[in-house]
Amino acid sequence: MHYGDKGASTAVFLDPPYVGFERLYGAQNPVALDVARWAAERPNVRIAVCGHVGDYAGILDGWQVHEWSRGRLTYGGGETTDLEAIWFSPACADVARVRAEQTEMFA
């Protein structure tokens, strides 16, 4: 991201090791919360942050959240299968509106 960019043409997709699963990636400290705080400080940039439902409570409040199911096992089990989520910054397009438009486009 260029420092002179005001966010109009920049999009950032962040998929950090999820809270509680850092060890699977060799991380000793939870980096996901630092990633979310960094993103929260840039509400005028189009940012998407991945995680599990509830990971960023109190940090990304007011952001649009799209919850979804992986539909398969991962991390050696299924306890998080239905807890996937992506948070979209205030600068992003309205998720529900875009989803509806795309559904119409492919109907």
Side-chain angles (χ1 to χ4, degrees), residues 60-64 88 90:
L60 299 180
D61 292 345
W63 286 38
Q64 298 178 73
F88 295 94

Side-chain angles (χ1 to χ4, degrees), residues 46 64 88-98:
R46 295 175 185 151
Q64 298 178 73
F88 295 94
S89 71
C92 291
D94 180 84
V95 176
R97 181 184 54 77
V98 170

Side-chain angles (χ1 to χ4, degrees), residues 6 12 55 69 80-81 87:
K6 302 297 185 211
V12 180
D55 279 356
S69 174
T80 62
T81 298
W87 284 259

Side-chain angles (χ1 to χ4, degrees), residues 70 72-83:
R70 241 185 349 268
R72 60 183 172 82
L73 304 178
T74 191
Y75 302 122
E79 66 187 50
T80 62
T81 298
D82 296 325
L83 298 177

Side-chain angles (χ1 to χ4, degrees), residues 17-60:
Y18 294 179
V19 174
F21 294 91
E22 298 85 3
R23 70 189 180 291
L24 297 174
Y25 300 92
Q28 299 301 315
N29 298 314
V31 298
L33 300 180
D34 290 336
V35 167
R37 282 189 281 272
W38 178 89
E41 293 171 358
R42 293 157 178 81
N44 295 327
V45 178
R46 295 175 185 151
I47 302 176
V49 183
C50 297
H52 288 139
V53 173
D55 279 356
Y56 308 125
I59 300 173
L60 299 180

